[in-house]
Amino acid sequence: MSAIWSAIDTAGSGVDVDQTWIDTVGGNVANMEDGVTPGKPVYQAQYVEAGEQSNGEGVQVNAIDVGPKQGELSYEPDNPVANTQGEVEYPVVDLGSQMVALTEAQASYQANAQVLSDAKTAYQSILDIKA
């Protein structure tokens, strides 16, 4: 029976990490078009750094790394936030790599959720046998 609890704990920690990963990707995509006047703070993309839990039974978010402080300049003289040279600064976020990360995070989330569901079914079967 401890194997079932271990599976639940491990998959549950995976779901937590996956949700954080999905949330950070969503934030990156949502903010990738947030242009600012050059010299002002620009959105820094976020990246989840995950690792093994200290007890060896699952994963955890070790850190949220951030992208570069300096963004990419674009010449847009009609943009209301453009500087006197007509430049706007945008966050460094690659949509393609964010979509790949989102696909990976969703697949991992689904796999962990399936393990949780299967473990629940197994636990319920054990309870039915004992009853």
Side-chain angles (χ1 to χ4, degrees):
M1 176 126 66
S2 68
I4 293 173
W5 289 117
S6 179
I8 290 172
D9 291 343
T10 301
S13 70
V15 165
D16 289 342
V17 168
D18 295 335
Q19 186 62 58
T20 301
W21 191 7
I22 290 168
D23 292 345
T24 58
V25 169
N28 292 342
V29 171
N31 289 290
M32 68 183 289
E33 294 294 325
D34 291 349
V36 297
T37 304
K40 293 195 175 181
V42 67
Y43 175 80
Q44 292 178 260
Q46 298 179 348
Y47 305 95
V48 174
E49 181 185 313
E52 186 177 343
Q53 289 181 350
S54 60
N55 63 6
E57 294 185 13
V59 293
Q60 65 185 13
V61 173
N62 290 335
I64 303 290
D65 297 328
V66 293
K69 288 183 180 184
Q70 186 172 357
E72 299 172 329
L73 294 177
S74 177
Y75 181 70
E76 299 177 17
D78 294 333
N79 192 313
V81 299
N83 63 10
T84 56
Q85 291 81 29
E87 297 172 325
V88 177
E89 189 172 5
Y90 287 97
V92 178
V93 177
D94 177 58
L95 183 59
S97 64
Q98 293 300 304
M99 292 297 98
V100 169
L102 181 60
T103 301
E104 291 172 345
Q106 287 175 320
S108 180
Y109 187 98
Q110 288 172 336
N112 282 310
Q114 186 63 51
V115 169
L116 287 171
S117 177
D118 292 347
K120 176 185 170 193
T121 301
Y123 186 68
Q124 187 63 46
S125 296
I126 291 167
L127 291 177
D128 290 344
I129 291 170
K130 290 186 176 186

